[in-house]
Amino acid sequence: MSDERLISPDISPLTSSLISLGGINRTFYLGDSQVHALRDVNLTITSGEYIAVMGPSGSGKSTLLNLLGLLDRPDEGSYKLEGRDVTTLDADELAAVRSERIGFIFQSFHLVPRLTAAANIELPLVLSGFPKADRAKRVSQALQEYGLTDRAHHRPNELSGGQRQRVAIARATILRPAVLLADEPTGNLDRSTGEEVVKLLEKLNAQGMTLIVVTHDQALGARARRQIRMEDGGVVSDIVSAK
Amino acid sequence: MLIADAGRFALQAIISHRLRSFLTLLGIAVGIAAVILLTSIGEGVHQFVLKEFTQFGTNVIGVSPGKVKTGGQPPTGIPTTARLLTMEDAESLKQLPHVTGSTPTVWGNSEVENNGRLRRTTIYGVDADFVRVFSAKVQIGSFLPREGAGDSRAFVVLGSKLRKELFGTENPLGARVRIGGLHFRVIGVLAPKGQFLGIDLDDTAYIPAARALELYNREGLMEIQVLYTEGTSSATVASAVKQRLALRHGHEDFTITTQEDMLKTLSNILNILTMAVGALGGISLLVGSVGIVTIMTISVTERTNEIGLLVALGARQRTILGLFLSESVILAVLGGVLGLLLGIGLAQFLHLLMPNFPVHTPWSFALIAVVVSGVIGLLAGVLPAISASRLDPIDALRAE
Ligand SMILES: Nc1ncnc2c1ncn2[C@@H]1O[C@H](COP(=O)(O)OP(=O)(O)OP(=O)(O)O)[C@@H](O)[C@H]1O
Ligand SMILES: [Mg+2]
């Protein structure tokens, strides 16, 4: 860890920033008690970065990821995605941004159980109204890329954990999003399968996709060029290692 | 999302719970089948009754004395200014354009006697036009001859049943029978007409109206029946009849009832009846739709995770609403189609078992049934679908 340096949160506006969060706060109210899940978070993320978000349980990692993925809104602060203020968008506009610019990968895969692997991968295309002929080509290409061609017509319960996560990754990336948000993508996988999945994600990052991974796994976190550490809702360290 | 894709997605969800979906749509199917069956019976009865009434022809207008809204005699003691309907009135109506015949009618009950055989029966006083006005057929002999009002001879034409009762297999033509205190010569027998709403049309005797007036000691006719050419509007003829009689009587002191009006009224009553039994069947349809609400609510709860995922993948609220709505509509329409087949099948089965029992399923009912089940699906699906579309995606994704 010799060539580490702290980068300032206020990066020069000239840099092409993909994401810029300023003074983000998010508080959950549970009855009388309130949980300050995010406190004054400032982050600037450049296109193509590979970021690991780490920290103890309950520190706000998932909350941050949901916010970045436009599934949640901050109570306070500004969020610019590709230069556009997304805190003021209405529900339909948010849905469109999620569909086109953001890919989600979950710890528990979230595949639709009654749909085949191919149909699960096809889902984002179907939701955005792609004509049927275009979809088939894209799906079969994705199946091939992720080595799932012979599993195309299997349902999730007939797939291994690693295969399920590959289906989920294929689904998240079929529309070529700008940002891939993965919340503990290897949490439900054994070490070697997890390794395989991480390699896939890193390959996508190498192709230019911005990758943000939440993980508890130190070794996994260490592979990312930039590591963000959270505690109690705040970012306590933000380190870029030059490799 | 394309409509075809939404439909397929919804159908896949329905198929993934085969038994549950089947039971749910069965609820709708039973409801639709009940409505179809009951309205088919109602419609069958409707057609049956109308056929009974139209067997005498529909182009008939009845004229009865007195300008009254309701039937019955004017209150006693008050002298009526109404003039009676006379044989001459009936005669004069025959001259009107489009009118092809008119018969005076007087009826009553009398004993008819032949050679010691007695039978109490209905006696109609009519004239030669009767056979045409009531589409009756003469079996043997002839009907009453066309005669001037003044000098009708004492002839009688028997209904087929009365003939059998009085004469057995003997030839009745030329025989003399006694009706009340008067003597009549039999000149013909009518072909059997069967029953009309429980009245035996063949257990009757027809005598000239003038004789009937004498027999029952009446001064005026009970009714004049006017037959007009097919295709002429009943209103035209009715107004001509009205004008002519008003001219003869000085004012309107009679009531005109067209067969058409009567059938219309009857038809309306029968339609209300059909709707009433249909509404009874509708209750089971209501139960079926509650089933859809239940199953859709369960489905939304079970698929909370999936809804969260769809939002994360960029589905709009409207898309999610549409997906769950299509699911309940497809479920209900499938139930509706099944119910339709079930209902028609049952109606036909009833028809096979009891060929005389009137059942009739109009195609419009079938179409309405399917549309109604679709609407039910829409209504039943609204609340669950709205709750699905309003789920918070983060909560939905975290749900177990
Ligand atoms: N929807 C919610 N309602 C109420 N409280 C919430 C909600 N989501 C998160 N929290 C609270 O916010 C805090 C941060 O939660 P978050 O899920 O972001 O933690 P995390 O860092 O992802 O933890 P873990 O590593 O266990 O996944 C926690 O205290 C959590 O209880
Ligand atoms: Mg978390």
Side-chain angles (χ1 to χ4, degrees):
Chain A
M1 309 257 278
S2 50
D3 330 281
E4 286 171 358
R5 70 178 173 87
L6 273 168
I7 62 160
S8 91
D10 287 320
I11 207 159
S12 145
L14 292 172
T15 320
S16 74
S17 71
L18 175 72
I19 289 169
S20 91
L21 297 180
I24 294 283
N25 277 290
R26 180 75 173 101
T27 311
F28 292 109
Y29 297 91
L30 284 169
D32 294 338
S33 65
Q34 58 180 56
V35 182
H36 217 143
L38 291 178
R39 315 172 181 263
D40 194 31
V41 174
N42 298 290
L43 267 183
T44 301
I45 297 169
T46 322
S47 187
E49 277 196 274
Y50 177 11
I51 300 171
V53 181
M54 295 191 286
S57 186
S59 56
K61 307 181 295 292
S62 295
T63 305
L64 176 66
L65 217 62
N66 289 334
L67 202 126
L68 289 173
L70 301 174
L71 289 176
D72 199 3
R73 287 176 193 269
D75 300 320
E76 237 184 303
S78 72
Y79 175 8
K80 279 190 178 161
L81 180 64
E82 297 178 315
R84 183 178 181 198
D85 182 2
V86 288
T87 51
T88 57
L89 298 185
D90 69 21
D92 282 357
E93 291 167 329
L94 288 177
V97 176
R98 272 198 299 270
S99 159
E100 289 159 21
R101 310 308 295 153
I102 292 162
F104 279 100
I105 292 158
F106 308 94
Q107 177 175 356
S108 50
F109 322 129
H110 283 313
L111 301 181
V112 180
R114 62 179 176 280
L115 299 182
T116 61
N120 266 289
I121 294 172
E122 195 185 14
L123 215 42
L125 299 171
V126 171
L127 287 171
S128 10
F130 272 73
K132 205 167 174 169
D134 291 359
R135 292 188 327 231
K137 220 175 72 197
R138 288 216 197 193
V139 170
S140 72
Q141 196 184 331
L143 283 165
Q144 203 170 2
E145 270 173 42
Y146 292 94
L148 291 163
T149 305
D150 57 337
R151 290 284 176 271
H153 302 296
H154 289 239
R155 287 178 216 289
N157 63 349
E158 299 159 346
L159 300 175
S160 72
Q163 286 167 337
R164 287 183 209 185
Q165 198 59 300
R166 273 187 278 154
V167 171
I169 294 170
R171 182 180 63 190
T173 55
I174 189 116
L175 279 173
R176 297 269 128 206
V179 195
L180 203 51
L181 303 171
D183 199 345
E184 302 190 33
T186 59
N188 279 357
L189 302 174
D190 61 55
R191 183 149 285 281
S192 70
T193 318
E195 182 84 3
E196 203 184 304
V197 164
V198 168
K199 284 213 172 105
L200 275 178
L201 294 176
E202 288 173 349
K203 199 171 120 196
L204 287 162
N205 175 244
Q207 290 166 9
M209 215 175 275
T210 307
L211 177 62
I212 304 175
V213 184
V214 167
T215 182
H216 277 129
D217 185 333
Q218 289 298 328
L220 193 56
R223 296 167 68 134
R225 214 169 312 128
R226 179 172 171 193
Q227 290 146 21
I228 293 174
R229 213 183 145 67
M230 294 188 69
E231 259 167 46
D232 200 19
V235 175
V236 290
S237 79
D238 187 344
I239 299 160
V240 176
S241 52
K243 283 190 186 158
Chain B
M1 192 170 188
L2 304 174
I3 291 196
D5 289 323
R8 186 144 37 82
F9 191 86
L11 199 61
Q12 277 164 336
I14 289 170
I15 292 170
S16 71
H17 291 286
R18 246 171 265 264
L19 181 64
R20 181 168 106 178
S21 301
F22 176 72
L23 292 176
T24 309
L25 68 84
L26 198 61
I28 291 291
V30 168
I32 290 281
V35 173
I36 290 284
L37 184 63
L38 288 171
T39 49
S40 293
I41 293 173
E43 188 62 21
V45 169
H46 186 158
Q47 295 201 347
F48 172 78
V49 171
L50 284 191
K51 214 164 87 200
E52 285 278 284
F53 274 91
T54 52
Q55 62 177 324
F56 309 113
T58 52
N59 45 339
V60 175
I61 290 173
V63 184
S64 47
K67 181 70 191 168
V68 278
K69 291 282 191 296
T70 46
Q73 300 285 312
T76 46
I78 301 164
T80 62
T81 54
R83 269 183 58 177
L84 301 167
L85 284 178
T86 63
M87 296 290 287
E88 289 73 31
D89 288 335
E91 202 58 43
S92 118
L93 292 181
K94 289 184 207 283
Q95 321 301 327
L96 290 174
H98 303 301
V99 169
T100 53
S102 93
T103 175
T105 27
V106 177
W107 63 89
N109 256 290
S110 292
E111 276 182 345
V112 183
E113 192 231 305
N114 168 48
N115 259 339
R117 298 179 77 149
L118 265 178
R119 187 168 177 85
R120 178 162 275 278
T121 186
T122 315
I123 311 294
Y124 284 94
V126 296
D127 79 1
D129 282 348
F130 173 85
V131 271
R132 274 190 295 122
V133 176
F134 286 93
S135 9
K137 283 203 174 57
V138 178
Q139 194 171 41
I140 51 172
S142 58
F143 199 71
L144 300 171
R146 188 169 291 282
E147 286 172 314
D151 46 58
S152 50
R153 282 166 290 171
F155 288 149
V156 62
V157 174
L158 303 177
S160 60
K161 171 107 176 269
L162 182 63
R163 173 253 174 125
K164 214 166 80 211
E165 293 295 331
L166 291 181
F167 292 93
T169 53
E170 276 171 55
N171 181 5
L173 294 185
R176 283 167 63 83
V177 293
R178 195 175 52 77
I179 302 175
L182 308 173
H183 289 276
F184 291 84
R185 183 179 301 279
V186 178
I187 58 162
V189 175
L190 288 187
K193 274 219 86 160
Q195 302 241 326
F196 169 64
L197 301 176
I199 301 165
D200 194 339
L201 296 169
D202 301 324
D203 195 3
T204 46
Y206 303 91
I207 58 175
R211 296 283 165 176
L213 287 173
E214 193 182 324
L215 182 64
Y216 295 113
N217 203 14
R218 288 182 60 96
E219 287 180 32
L221 301 172
M222 294 167 125
E223 219 170 54
I224 300 174
Q225 303 287 345
V226 179
L227 178 76
Y228 55 91
T229 48
E230 203 93 42
T232 313
S233 99
S234 65
T236 313
V237 182
S239 80
V241 168
K242 189 158 137 186
Q243 237 170 22
R244 171 64 61 96
L245 284 183
L247 203 69
R248 289 178 60 84
H249 290 199
H251 60 287
E252 197 183 330
D253 55 357
F254 49 87
T255 305
I256 294 179
T257 322
T258 67
Q259 182 90 340
E260 214 176 87
D261 287 346
M262 204 189 68
L263 287 176
K264 229 180 255 165
T265 311
L266 193 66
S267 187
N268 282 343
I269 294 171
L270 290 166
N271 272 339
I272 290 170
L273 241 131
T274 302
M275 279 191 263
V277 290
L280 274 180
I283 294 174
S284 57
L285 202 52
L286 196 70
V287 176
S289 26
V290 171
I292 292 205
V293 179
T294 311
I295 223 66
M296 288 312 296
T297 309
I298 292 174
S299 185
V300 169
T301 312
E302 280 177 353
R303 282 153 64 192
T304 302
N305 256 301
E306 179 185 321
I307 295 163
L309 168 81
L310 291 177
V311 175
L313 291 182
R316 298 183 193 182
Q317 284 196 334
R318 207 174 325 140
T319 305
I320 292 179
L321 187 82
L323 285 177
F324 279 89
L325 270 184
S326 358
E327 206 170 313
S328 67
V329 169
I330 290 175
L331 210 51
V333 168
L334 285 178
V337 171
L338 182 68
L340 184 63
L341 297 178
L342 219 66
I344 293 178
L346 276 174
Q348 289 310 310
F349 183 67
L350 259 184
H351 192 60
L352 271 182
L353 281 187
M354 299 178 277
N356 286 329
F357 191 75
V359 267
H360 179 77
T361 315
W363 279 110
S364 60
F365 283 21
L367 196 74
I368 290 170
V370 174
V371 172
V372 162
S373 54
V375 171
I376 285 175
L378 211 59
L379 293 179
V382 161
L383 285 181
I386 286 181
S387 70
S389 71
R390 296 219 176 127
L391 281 180
D392 177 49
I394 300 168
D395 290 343
L397 280 166
R398 289 189 341 166
E400 285 309 308

